[in-house]
Amino acid sequence: MTKPRDNALIDKLASAARQGTISRRSFMHYSMAAGMTASAATGLWTSKANAQPSRGGTFRFGVHDGNTSDTHDPGTYVTRQMIYLAHQYRSYLTMINPDGSLGPDLATEWAANDDASQWTFEINSDASFHSGKPVTAEDVIASMNHHRGEDSGSAAKALLSSVTDVKADGDHTVVVTLSSGNADLPWLMTDYHLAICPADGNGGIDWKSGDGSGPYKIDSGEFGVQWRLSRHEGWHLEGAYFDNLVMLVLNDSNARQTALVTGDVDAVSLVDLKTKSLLERDPTIVVESVPSAAAITMPMHCDTAPYDDVNVRNALKLTMDRDEVINKIAFGEATKGNDFHHSPAMPYWPDDIEQREYDPDKAKSLLKKAGAEGLEVSISTADSVFSGAVDMAVLYAEQSKAAGITVNVVREPSDGYYSDVWLKKPYSLVSWGARPTPDVMYTLAYKDDAAWNESRWQNERFNELLLQAKSELDNSLRAEMYREMAQIARDDGGTLLPFFNNFVYARRDNVMRGENLAASWELDGGRAPSRWWFAS
């Protein structure tokens, strides 16, 4: 317990931080001398020092997971490069706020009818594209329709499958009609694919030009290399404190962290957990760790032998020691998974489902039942999937030996991993960003006809419940449905889910942020460039 004298000193230090009359190094030194922990002192510095955002400067940030084959087509968004770039130069109807609540982006307000089968969105009349064109209902309609229809190849097609009509009611009102109710529709509109692009006048969108209505406009860039952007003075929301942005694609973890330490970048999107403790010793670096609904998954193609046998699938799930993986690979920066894609960070969390534990003997029994004793499989992974992905696959292979299973680890190239490996190779490691509700996650990755049904799993009862839960407005009944869905996915599904990973990223200490950090993506929900600022 700190003494009254120490509390008085801490108050003075907080005041000095607010006034900008003390350096972070001195603040940390004296705060810890007064009895505060390093983490508490860091939190106090963040909340007090330079609390009022100031404009100016060029924010340089390094991101992992970017390919030369990436595009501006929102229907193809998959890598961090595409997602984070989109959050700078494009806008969405709604957004997830730093405190986890749902807030406005282009839509200033929204409302549903009694059964949530029709939603009305009011569009900000002050919003404009970088080209100077006002954002209207026509742009929203064309952007939504880009993901709909038989010819659409968009990954978000499954999210909008229940939408039967999108129409305008004046220049700035959009009415979305559904075949059945969806209480989560405003949350769904935060999905990174559903960026609003300018209509091309022919019912489609102009996505190739890179025009958008986000906080920053693209000045130049090349996929897989870097992007330069400048502030959009006509942006319709608060923020965008930096004058310019430079986004660098740094897939190599050593290159990212070296760039941060040397001051070549001001923030990086992913910290190598093996060297996190060393990075934290640098007084000019602040490491952030944010628990999230992001997940590492290991999907098995359920239509491909040997994974078409549920006994084999469950045997492979039983041969992972998740506690050891979290300790040795995630360095404790994760929440234990249970083979269903519904995390404690989401609503309706089913906390009473039995946790799957490491049990190689039971796995052996299941393999014998399947006639698959001495099983040998290959699993694909790459360094860019997450920090420690290859090491995790190697550890899993070692753990599986106790069940008589041989796991061959295939190290794939980082460039093109999500276009050449994911959804194509029958067993792989995948990094999923956080989704706000179980409906969004299950619709994207578990629904029978979803483009991103990564395990190719089909379960009639699961899909029946998914449809019912969307329109159920009674929260207790909805929670029961999601619990049953989670149990089905755990026991029958084709996905081994080791853990929900924290977002661990870092910034230099002259980069200030608000009190909360969004748990939807790294770098404050992918919106650090429009939410953060340099110390004055």
Side-chain angles (χ1 to χ4, degrees), residues 328-520:
K328 293 183 176 179
I329 304 300
F331 293 85
E333 303 284 354
T335 301
K336 195 172 181 178
N338 200 18
D339 299 334
F340 53 86
H341 213 141
H342 186 166
S343 92
M346 291 179 180
Y348 311 109
W349 164 244
D351 60 358
D352 61 339
I353 294 179
E354 182 183 1
Q355 174 65 49
R356 193 188 303 280
E357 302 291 355
Y358 181 54
D359 193 340
D361 290 334
K362 187 174 181 180
K364 281 183 179 180
S365 176
L366 290 174
L367 291 177
K368 184 176 181 179
K369 184 177 180 180
E373 294 169 287
L375 179 69
E376 182 173 351
V377 299
S378 295
I379 187 164
S380 294
T381 186
D383 292 320
S384 62
V385 174
F386 72 97
S387 177
V390 176
D391 291 339
M392 180 180 128
V394 172
L395 178 58
Y396 173 57
E398 188 64 30
Q399 294 170 345
S400 298
K401 289 179 181 178
I405 299 174
T406 300
V407 177
N408 301 310
V409 178
V410 181
R411 189 168 185 163
E412 307 277 4
S414 292
D415 192 350
Y417 185 82
Y418 284 100
S419 58
D420 301 332
V421 177
W422 181 54
L423 302 178
K424 294 181 174 61
K425 298 294 179 72
Y427 199 17
S428 63
L429 261 73
V430 181
S431 175
W432 278 89
R435 293 325 194 266
T437 68
D439 173 68
V440 175
M441 191 66 251
Y442 286 143
T443 300
L444 273 175
Y446 289 75
K447 191 171 182 287
D448 52 1
D449 60 351
W452 284 3
N453 181 349
E454 59 181 358
S455 67
R456 303 182 184 178
W457 180 54
Q458 303 288 315
N459 186 287
E460 185 177 352
R461 176 57 179 167
F462 181 92
N463 285 284
E464 177 185 322
L465 286 165
L466 179 61
L467 183 62
Q468 292 175 6
K470 285 179 185 291
S471 58
E472 180 54 64
L473 300 180
D474 184 311
N475 284 333
S476 61
L477 292 177
R478 207 173 188 207
E480 290 177 14
M481 293 177 187
Y482 285 129
R483 187 200 180 284
E484 184 179 348
M485 290 164 66
Q487 188 75 60
I488 293 171
R490 176 190 182 278
D491 297 341
D492 184 64
T495 299
L496 193 170
L497 200 156
F499 56 78
F500 296 95
N501 54 294
N502 290 8
F503 288 138
V504 183
Y505 49 92
R507 56 187 167 88
R508 295 193 64 81
D509 69 338
N510 66 325
V511 178
M512 301 292 105
R513 66 161 175 89
E515 182 177 356
N516 298 305
L517 291 169
S520 47

Side-chain angles (χ1 to χ4, degrees), residues 100-353:
S101 64
L102 185 67
D105 191 341
L106 282 172
T108 57
E109 56 184 292
W110 48 90
N113 62 357
D114 290 341
D115 64 356
S117 64
Q118 187 174 85
W119 286 86
T120 301
F121 295 87
E122 299 295 336
I123 309 304
N124 194 323
S125 59
D126 294 329
S128 65
F129 290 102
H130 304 148
S131 60
K133 175 186 176 299
V135 178
T136 67
E138 179 188 12
D139 304 305
V140 175
I141 294 169
S143 297
M144 294 298 107
N145 287 338
H146 180 70
H147 307 278
R148 301 175 61 226
E150 294 182 3
D151 297 333
S152 173
S154 170
K157 183 176 179 179
L159 290 177
L160 302 178
S161 61
S162 64
V163 174
T164 59
D165 191 28
V166 187
K167 65 180 181 181
D169 183 10
D171 289 341
H172 294 95
T173 302
V174 175
V175 180
V176 180
T177 303
L178 311 167
S179 58
S180 58
N182 189 340
D184 285 346
L185 188 70
W187 284 97
L188 185 152
M189 291 300 158
T190 67
D191 185 84
Y192 58 83
H193 298 97
L194 304 181
I196 305 304
C197 302
D200 64 7
N202 297 309
I205 56 172
D206 169 24
W207 59 263
K208 294 182 180 180
S209 68
D211 191 13
S213 58
Y216 292 92
K217 57 185 178 181
I218 294 176
D219 295 326
S220 63
E222 180 181 354
F223 282 112
V225 184
Q226 72 170 18
W227 295 90
R228 292 183 177 274
L229 303 93
S230 56
R231 184 191 297 120
H232 172 39
E233 298 298 345
W235 194 41
H236 49 281
L237 297 176
E238 296 293 324
Y241 303 112
F242 302 115
D243 295 331
N244 301 284
L245 307 178
V246 177
M247 188 175 99
L248 298 169
V249 177
L250 301 172
N251 286 326
D252 182 77
S253 60
N254 289 329
R256 276 196 312 278
Q257 292 187 196
T258 298
L260 181 66
V261 171
T262 59
D264 290 331
V265 297
D266 303 297
V268 293
S269 63
L270 183 66
V271 165
D272 185 344
L273 297 178
K274 294 190 296 294
T275 58
K276 172 177 173 282
S277 60
L278 294 175
L279 200 62
E280 289 176 322
R281 296 177 190 173
D282 188 329
T284 67
I285 303 296
V286 180
V287 177
E288 309 282 11
S289 180
V290 184
S292 75
I296 300 304
T297 65
M298 297 166 62
M300 304 166 248
H301 288 180
C302 296
D303 60 356
T304 304
Y307 314 110
D308 54 351
D309 190 316
V310 66
N311 294 301
V312 171
R313 300 198 295 268
N314 284 332
L316 287 166
K317 295 173 186 178
L318 287 164
T319 55
M320 171 169 280
D321 186 336
R322 296 156 208 257
D323 293 322
E324 185 179 24
V325 166
I326 290 174
N327 181 47
K328 293 183 176 179
I329 304 300
F331 293 85
E333 303 284 354
T335 301
K336 195 172 181 178
N338 200 18
D339 299 334
F340 53 86
H341 213 141
H342 186 166
S343 92
M346 291 179 180
Y348 311 109
W349 164 244
D351 60 358
D352 61 339
I353 294 179

